[in-house]
Structures are given as C-alpha cells and as structure tokens.
Amino acid sequence: MSGVTVKALHREFFYNGTRIPDPAPNLTVEQVRELLTPSYPEIATATLVGPEDTGGTLRYTFSRAIGSKG
C-alpha cells in the first residue's frame, strides 16, 4: 500500500509589482481582496488572474483596469 502525501500550497498575491503575503489563508480570494482594499484601493476594481502554480505557491495577480476617464 502506498501512502499519499497531501501538501497545502501557500498563496501569494501580487499587485503593481509588489508581492503581498497571504494575509489570511482561511479566507477566500474575494475576501482577501476586500481585506486588502483599504491598503490598495485600486484592487477593488482590478482584474484577478490566477491561480498560477509556481511550484509550491499559488500566485494570484491583481491587474489594474486600464481605461480612460471621461
């Protein structure tokens, strides 16, 4: 009988070139967005890309919505 090892992957978030460690692994990604919005207001309307498996970490990237005001 072979054993199966389950390893939880850590999450990390990126915004505007800044790595943001997972502030609360028990929260959903959308809850993390809400938690980070006071520090990074642009995250509220940013596009979320991911998760990307980087070999032990799940990377989520918030990309700013680019558009014109007017």
Side-chain angles (χ1 to χ4, degrees), residues 3-57:
V4 175
T5 303
V6 177
K7 181 180 175 185
L9 296 175
H10 297 281
R11 298 184 303 184
E12 64 182 2
F13 297 88
F14 276 82
Y15 175 68
N16 202 22
T18 301
R19 180 184 172 274
I20 306 167
D22 191 349
N26 59 316
L27 296 180
T28 68
V29 174
E30 286 303 318
Q31 289 171 323
V32 169
R33 177 196 299 262
E34 292 175 16
L35 185 65
L36 294 175
T37 296
S39 298
Y40 304 93
E42 299 88 3
I43 285 179
T45 58
T47 301
L48 180 63
V49 178
E52 174 189 351
D53 185 353
T54 63
T57 303

